[in-house]
Amino acid sequence: MTSSWRVRLLGSLVVAAAAAAVSMAPRVRAQSPVTLTVQADRPGATLDPMFYGLMTEEINFSYDGGLYAELIRNRSLKDNPDAPDHWSVVKDAGVEATIAVDTSSPVPNTALTSSLKLTTTAIASGQRVGVANEGFWGIPARPNTTYRASFYAKADGGARGRATVAIESADGHALASATVGPLTGQWKKYTATLKTGALTPSTTNQFVISSGGPGTLWVTLVSLFPPTYNNRPNGMRPDIMELLAAMKPSFLRFPGGNYLEGPNYENRFNWKATIGPLEQRPTHMSPWRYRSSDGVGLVEFLEWCEDLHMEPLLAVYAGLHIDRGANILTGDALKPVVQDALDEIEYVTGGPNTTWGARRVRDGHPKPFTLHYVEIGNEDWLNDGKASYDERFTMIADAITAKYPSLKIISTMRSQDTDFTYTHQPDRLDDHFYMTIPTALAQAHLYDGYSRSATKIFVGEWATNSPRTGDTPMVAFALADAAWLTGLERNADVVTMNSYAPLFVNVNPGGRQWAVNLIGYDALTSFGSPSYYVQKMFSNNRGNVVLPASFDPLPRLSLNEIPVAPAPPPRPGRAGGRGRRGPQGPTGPFDGLYASATRDAATGDVILKLVNVQATAQPLRIDVKSVPSIAKEASGEMLTGALDAVNTVAEPRKVVPVPVTIHDAGTTFTHELPAHSVTVLRLKTR
Ligand code: AHR
């Protein structure tokens, strides 16, 4: 558990549990009609084209075992120096063989310093022995699919000769196989193509490299790729990329989050150790307690941006780590960090005549990437970082601005840190919020009172959540998310960008370090949560100018009338299921309805985002002022569901938006918002 997570547990996750203890069944009462007035003649803030984006880091098996299509777990045998985790021996009856991690036989001139050593001491002619990898909770097998396998190997004694590589079912049946070799006494890279035939998709498979004969076999950097998005050789899982593409995100904030900082200096996101061939990437420990293969390194993040037409929002390491008490780098000790940040920006944006631009060209990407935003550090208000942040921020920001004057610099000091003074004025502040439902509803108005002349805001991490409530958000959280987002859109003059966090979770047991994440998956299936669909609805219907919109009368709800997250299940060995004690959050009253209205300059459409957090349907009279006409036919989408409903691998589309069609729209018309619903409507003015 990181200290930031602990802070949030204490600071903001209390009221939902308390509310859950009070009642799961809000009082139901008939709703009186309400009028929503939209002032189309009073356009306000312009929505920044970067308004909706993504935030990502290696957490919850986001890349390894997630977006990154690699299927082999612990492929370079670095996960545990003492044991070959996720590997096992496969052998016929009577064969005597053992496996171990070997660090005494590195592959020359590479970062492959560990290998898997299979020692076979007894085997009869015709018998089989080999090593098997279990993948990330299974190796997914799909019908009629081509897989690319590769690995480094060398062998001694009878283990020399040809080897077989195969995707095998749990009962040892080969679903696809190929032979490679001969293996020799020297390290060499082998590749093979495996094709499955007709089969039922399954995850209960393993990847096996087998040979015959007594002797020793060493393997490392064992890799197995299914088809990837845009056929990138070291690429991403198509199904998850398609979910992301459907959100139409404008930017990708990477590489973190705590993953940028690392648990300590050695394990920060050292971008220079994540580029080039996989053989040259040493891997590192993430702060989320597992080792990252660094298969998703700086270039892969950038190509991910390219594939989804997002702009990179690059966070550079700033001398602060997660471990409390670890040294924070300042003064002369920070100078190499400053240089690393400059080199990184040059790698991203530089031409072929620059040192690091040329390196990017050599790494296979001749074209520089577009970059407008650089963030310095992550959550430097935490972990004793605040006292030195002005010094660290100034050193890094001064150097960046001197070399790249057009880059916008984001500070990780929040807008709440009003006691903080800057030597180098930032262009944006990165606010982070992990909110209970009451907090999210109350904070839909957070920025209404923010000074219009103060530094503008990037809400770089936000979510409505609660610890121990599961992998992905339930409908109750999605409703609060939507209410909160209307507040960000209404305040688009001060909030210019936002991104939910965390983005991903592998839902297998042990896959999650952080409760409540936007998109879930196992090895075969991925799904968007109700909150994912809320963001997709909002991001796909942005508009670019905010219009004033107000409800009359505005329904108000008490704490026990707002949606609540059910109390968390008991933990093993503990009494559970009751509300947690702690400081109180907002107690209400809360708005029952939330709205954001925008206009899309390209189409002329007036776009309404309407959230009803009440337990009953809300009849609405919609009055759009100062437009000559609105077409009778209008369309949109609506999401609703039981408050505790979630999507899962078993039911990936249980809660999804449904189309809304209106045949009697006009400058004034009526529409009913279902109970506990999020609606987006597009009204045609041309
Ligand atoms: O989103 C999970 C974590 O929350 C991020 O890594 C960190 O920035 C924040 O504390």
Side-chain angles (χ1 to χ4, degrees), residues 110-175:
T110 71
L112 303 175
T113 52
S114 293
S115 58
L116 179 65
K117 182 177 178 185
L118 169 71
T119 308
T120 306
T121 49
I123 184 167
S125 168
Q127 284 195 304
R128 170 174 104 129
V129 68
V131 291
N133 187 274
E134 64 185 10
F136 294 92
W137 295 275
I139 300 278
R142 296 177 196 273
N144 306 312
T145 302
T146 301
Y147 296 77
R148 289 175 293 110
S150 64
F151 59 96
Y152 281 79
K154 67 173 189 168
D156 261 356
R160 292 187 184 176
R162 293 193 73 73
T164 302
V165 295
I167 299 171
E168 292 188 5
S169 61
D171 61 4
H173 176 67
L175 304 174

Side-chain angles (χ1 to χ4, degrees), residues 4 8 57 59 257-259 288 378-379 432 434 461 501-502 514:
S4 50
R8 289 190 180 82
E57 65 177 320
I59 181 175
N258 293 160
Y259 186 59
W288 299 104
N378 177 63
E379 295 190 340
H432 291 183
Y434 294 95
E461 294 180 27
W514 185 282

Side-chain angles (χ1 to χ4, degrees), residues 105-108 110 112 150-155 161-163 180-191 209 217-222 279:
S105 190
V107 180
T110 71
L112 303 175
S150 64
F151 59 96
Y152 281 79
K154 67 173 189 168
R162 293 193 73 73
V180 298
L183 310 186
T184 70
Q186 304 302 315
W187 279 115
K188 192 180 158 205
K189 186 171 183 178
Y190 297 89
T191 60
I209 304 174
L217 168 71
W218 289 264
V219 292
T220 191
L221 192 55
V222 182
E279 289 82 343

Side-chain angles (χ1 to χ4, degrees), residues 185-232:
Q186 304 302 315
W187 279 115
K188 192 180 158 205
K189 186 171 183 178
Y190 297 89
T191 60
T193 301
L194 289 83
K195 285 189 186 152
T196 56
L199 53 76
T200 305
S202 62
T203 60
T204 51
N205 314 299
Q206 51 185 5
F207 179 68
V208 178
I209 304 174
S210 57
S211 62
T216 314
L217 168 71
W218 289 264
V219 292
T220 191
L221 192 55
V222 182
S223 175
L224 181 68
F225 270 87
T228 59
Y229 194 77
N230 282 351
N231 295 318
R232 295 223 186 246

Side-chain angles (χ1 to χ4, degrees), residues 38 86 145 349 351 669:
V38 179
H86 312 296
T145 302
T349 63
F669 67 105

